[in-house]
Amino acid sequence: MNVNSKKSLGGNIALLLAAFIWGTSFVAQSVGMESVEGFTFNGIRMLMGSAALMPLIAVMQIKKRKTDIRTKAQKKNDALVQLKSGVICGLILFCASNLQQFAFNYTTSGKIGFITALYMLLVPVFGLVLKQKQKLFVWFAVVMGCFGAYLLCVDGSFSIGKGELLALVCSVCFAVHILYIDNVVDKVDGVILSCTQFFVVGVISVICMFIFETPQISAINSAIVPILYSGILSSGVAYTLQIIGQKNTQPAVASILMCLESVFAVLAGWVVLKEQLSAREAIGCVVMFVAIILTKIPEWKKSE
């Protein structure tokens, strides 16, 4: 095995681990909600996620300082753009993450994992507003994904549960979040952006925690393992693994590996929480996953 092959394999493993952590984090969030309320859980874990990225940022800044030739005016302008982008991303992520968190009160972690993944199908739809043209098969994938979501979310009486509805709105917010990041990604540092948005979400969630909830230290202590898992591992460790993995993996392959997050969410819910899917819901998961893979074909074509 040559050096490039080893790097590619290492990158694939890193992305697979990231997807595993993200997928199993849905279980951690579900377990955490048994002890604490939504804003409490989200506020603490997001602040932990922000703190987990700070050492990485410190190392990156030290390395960058040696080759940084920007003027003071440029540095100030870049810092303002960085801060503005982080705050806006944080506000959008606040809506998305808290809608997702409260969905755990009403439905299973597996369902939430797959419904959240719908953002990959919604992005090309919302991209029309930005005049982003898509191939015909991408629209086929969108329709296919919607059908899969119907099978997964809507029961025989044509009603949709509160948890599924919250997860759907959460998915819309994530789609907007992705499109905004795509618009600013060339102007900012991705790791600092992630750290800033986590901090913004954490601060606003903690404020909401004191206004709308009754946080108790004993309850937080009982949920500390899920909070640590969702905060440090899902945000800090998994994000770092994504950066490492994407450096040595083709974009199309990377996106497919990260799509496995939704599959791991279902499997983790089944193994850990004993959640069950009906045949109809299982078919919906398969249809949605195939649709998500289809939306990645343009990236595959570009990387050839």
Side-chain angles (χ1 to χ4, degrees):
M1 184 181 290
N2 58 39
V3 176
N4 288 335
S5 296
K6 287 182 179 179
K7 285 185 177 180
S8 180
L9 178 60
N12 290 348
I13 292 173
L15 289 170
L16 193 62
L17 283 173
F20 176 79
I21 293 172
W22 287 327
T24 50
S25 180
F26 283 97
V27 170
Q29 290 174 251
S30 180
V31 173
M33 286 294 285
E34 295 175 2
S35 303
V36 296
E37 296 175 275
F39 287 125
T40 301
F41 186 92
N42 231 22
I44 297 172
R45 73 153 174 146
M46 286 295 181
L47 289 177
M48 284 183 174
S50 180
L53 288 175
M54 287 180 182
L56 176 62
I57 292 172
V59 172
M60 291 172 62
Q61 290 299 106
I62 291 171
K63 290 182 177 180
K64 184 179 180 180
R65 198 175 298 159
K66 297 176 183 178
T67 57
D68 194 348
I69 58 173
R70 294 174 300 166
T71 64
K72 287 185 178 180
Q74 288 174 324
K75 289 179 180 179
K76 183 179 180 180
N77 181 67
D78 290 346
L80 288 173
V81 172
Q82 183 82 57
L83 179 61
K84 177 184 175 182
S85 301
V87 170
I88 293 175
C89 279
L91 291 173
I92 301 170
L93 185 60
F94 168 79
C95 297
S97 60
N98 280 290
L99 284 167
Q100 183 188 77
Q101 195 61 42
F102 283 103
F104 285 98
N105 288 323
Y106 307 101
T107 190
T108 66
S109 62
K111 280 190 178 183
I112 293 172
F114 258 96
I115 296 168
T116 300
L118 269 175
Y119 67 78
M120 297 180 188
L121 304 176
L122 292 172
V123 166
V125 176
F126 293 165
L128 287 175
V129 179
L130 302 176
K131 298 180 181 180
Q132 297 175 353
K133 295 182 179 179
Q134 302 294 340
K135 300 292 184 181
L136 182 61
F137 68 85
V138 173
W139 295 118
F140 173 75
V142 170
V143 174
M144 186 177 178
C146 291
F147 176 66
Y150 168 79
L151 293 176
L152 180 63
C153 304
V154 183
D155 60 25
S157 61
F158 295 97
S159 63
I160 183 169
K162 189 173 182 179
E164 288 80 8
L165 182 60
L166 287 171
L168 281 171
V169 181
C170 152
S171 184
V172 171
C173 291
F174 272 123
V176 174
H177 184 255
I178 288 171
L179 287 170
Y180 180 77
I181 288 178
D182 185 62
N183 188 52
V184 300
V185 69
D186 293 331
K187 308 171 188 175
V188 299
D189 181 291
V191 183
I192 296 177
L193 179 69
S194 186
C195 181
T196 305
Q197 68 174 357
F198 288 153
F199 180 77
V200 170
V201 176
V203 169
I204 299 176
S205 295
V206 167
I207 292 171
C208 291
M209 172 185 79
F210 286 112
I211 295 174
F212 301 108
E213 299 175 352
T214 53
Q216 297 178 342
I217 298 298
S218 58
I220 293 172
N221 285 336
S222 65
I224 196 63
V225 174
I227 290 173
L228 285 170
Y229 191 93
S230 296
I232 296 176
L233 282 178
S234 182
S235 300
V237 175
Y239 187 85
T240 304
L241 286 171
Q242 180 189 0
I243 294 172
I244 295 170
Q246 285 196 250
K247 285 183 179 179
N248 301 301
T249 307
Q250 289 184 343
V253 177
S255 60
I256 290 172
L257 288 171
M258 288 187 284
C259 282
L260 290 173
E261 169 192 356
S262 56
V263 176
F264 284 129
V266 170
L267 292 177
W270 175 58
V271 173
V272 179
L273 303 178
K274 309 301 179 184
E275 295 174 351
Q276 301 294 325
L277 290 175
S278 66
R280 174 194 178 98
E281 292 168 343
I283 292 171
C285 287
V286 172
V287 172
M288 283 180 63
F289 186 68
V290 172
I292 289 167
I293 296 298
L294 285 176
T295 62
K296 300 303 173 183
I297 290 179
E299 293 181 27
W300 204 309
K301 296 291 185 182
K302 289 179 183 177
S303 63
E304 287 181 349

